Each structure stands twice: as C-alpha cells, then as structure tokens.
Amino acid sequence: MRTLLPLRLPSPIAATLPSAASLLPALTRLSLRGTPPRANMSSAAAAPDSAAANPAATGEEGGREAVDVLVQYVVLRRDLADAWPLGSVVAQGCHAAVATVWAHRDHPDTAAYCAPGNLDSMHKVTLEVKGETQLRNLAEKLEAAGVRHKLWIEQPENIPTCIATAPCPKSQVSSFFKKLKLCK
C-alpha cells in the first residue's frame, strides 16, 4: 500500500533552530532577580537596596534564582455575565485591563510585562465574583493593601462591572484571589 503523505527529510535550517521545549521556560517566566521587594505595590519608587545585606531578599537560596511570574488579574461580575451579551462583558474586562496598564505604564512591573519580548507570553487570570457587593469588597481590600488596580465603572449607567490589577508578581497578590472561581 502506498502512502499519500509526503516524505519529510530533515532540514539543515531546522537543525540549527532551538527546540520549543528549550524556549518555553524563558518565554513563560520573567526573572525578577535584582528587583527589590516593595512594601507598597502602589508606589512606583523602588525600595532601598536591602538586598545586598539580605540574600533572601533577592530570592536566592543556595545559589538558585527565584522566578516569579508577572500576572494581571481580571475579575468580572457573574450576574452581569448571565444578563449581558458575552461580548459586552468581555469588553468590560478589556476596558479595565487597558486602563490599569495605562495608568501604571511607568511602573517597572508594567514595563516588564509589556516589554516587546514578553508581549506573546502575558499572563492573565480571569475570575468571577457573584455580584456588585463582592466586587466592591474586593476593591476595598485591594485598596487597603496598596495593590494597584482599577475598578471599572461603566458609564453613563454608573455600574461597577469588573476589576483589573496592574501587572505584578503573582506571589504578592495571589492571596486576594484564592477564594474566587475561574470565569466560565
């Protein structure tokens, strides 16, 4: 029986290219080595260089470099997702995400997240809350903790629809979102 599939011979060009598996770690994680810890995420100014006195502050343990993913969280209202067209709800999340990135465009985390080499490997987590009360409570918690974010309020209706955080290290903000469900 003859096959109809073409015979594939090894290409000399393909042999010189790195495999996707070797590129994956570099594309999916950003190293924050040398980035000093921030006491308040709303501040764009870097903390004093205490990393030199404290090796743990640089994320090094036994000579290994710590890696922390920069992530942007988008939290939508489930009640609106049930009542509005899907495109309208998605647009609300997009508005909040863009507004937050623009408002914090000068912050080092946002600059790293939007750097040309990272545009194809951005990390976003889209979650949901039940309704307006839960959304406002989350916004208050983020505000109290100094987490850079935007509570998007749709105008002219004046309806709070979603929250987006500015890009930041996942380890610094994931605790605020652990109890929330992934948006479906």
Side-chain angles (χ1 to χ4, degrees):
M1 178 179 219
R2 297 180 80 183
T3 180
L4 298 177
L5 299 175
L7 177 63
R8 294 191 181 204
L9 298 174
S11 165
I13 295 172
T16 63
L17 297 174
S19 70
S22 67
L23 292 176
L24 188 58
L27 293 174
T28 59
R29 303 244 185 254
L30 295 173
S31 172
L32 297 178
R33 181 179 181 181
T35 304
R38 287 178 283 286
N40 184 345
M41 289 186 53
S42 63
S43 170
D49 189 13
S50 60
N54 183 3
T58 62
E60 295 184 47
E61 291 180 6
R64 292 183 2 159
E65 181 179 324
V67 177
D68 199 357
V69 175
L70 291 175
V71 65
Q72 183 175 35
Y73 285 91
V74 178
V75 181
L76 304 169
R77 284 178 47 185
R78 177 80 247 172
D79 62 330
L80 295 181
D82 292 336
W84 291 12
L86 177 61
S88 297
V89 177
V90 170
Q92 299 302 302
C94 293
H95 292 327
V98 170
T100 307
V101 167
W102 183 254
H104 300 283
R105 64 190 173 276
D106 296 328
H107 193 279
D109 290 339
T110 304
Y113 186 79
C114 296
N118 296 327
L119 287 178
D120 292 331
S121 60
M122 294 178 165
H123 290 266
K124 282 191 180 45
V125 179
T126 307
L127 305 168
E128 64 182 42
V129 293
K130 292 178 183 176
E132 181 178 345
T133 302
Q134 196 176 6
L135 189 72
R136 287 192 182 272
N137 289 342
L138 177 60
E140 289 173 11
K141 289 177 185 176
L142 295 173
E143 188 71 32
V147 176
R148 297 171 290 114
H149 70 283
K150 172 72 174 171
L151 171 62
W152 185 261
I153 301 179
E154 182 63 10
Q155 297 299 331
E157 298 87 357
N158 206 33
I159 299 172
T161 59
C162 61
I163 291 174
T165 65
C168 51
K170 186 175 183 178
S171 65
Q172 293 182 5
V173 295
S174 62
S175 62
F176 293 98
F177 304 100
K178 284 187 178 183
K179 293 182 180 179
L180 301 182
K181 294 179 183 179
L182 287 173
C183 190
K184 296 180 183 179

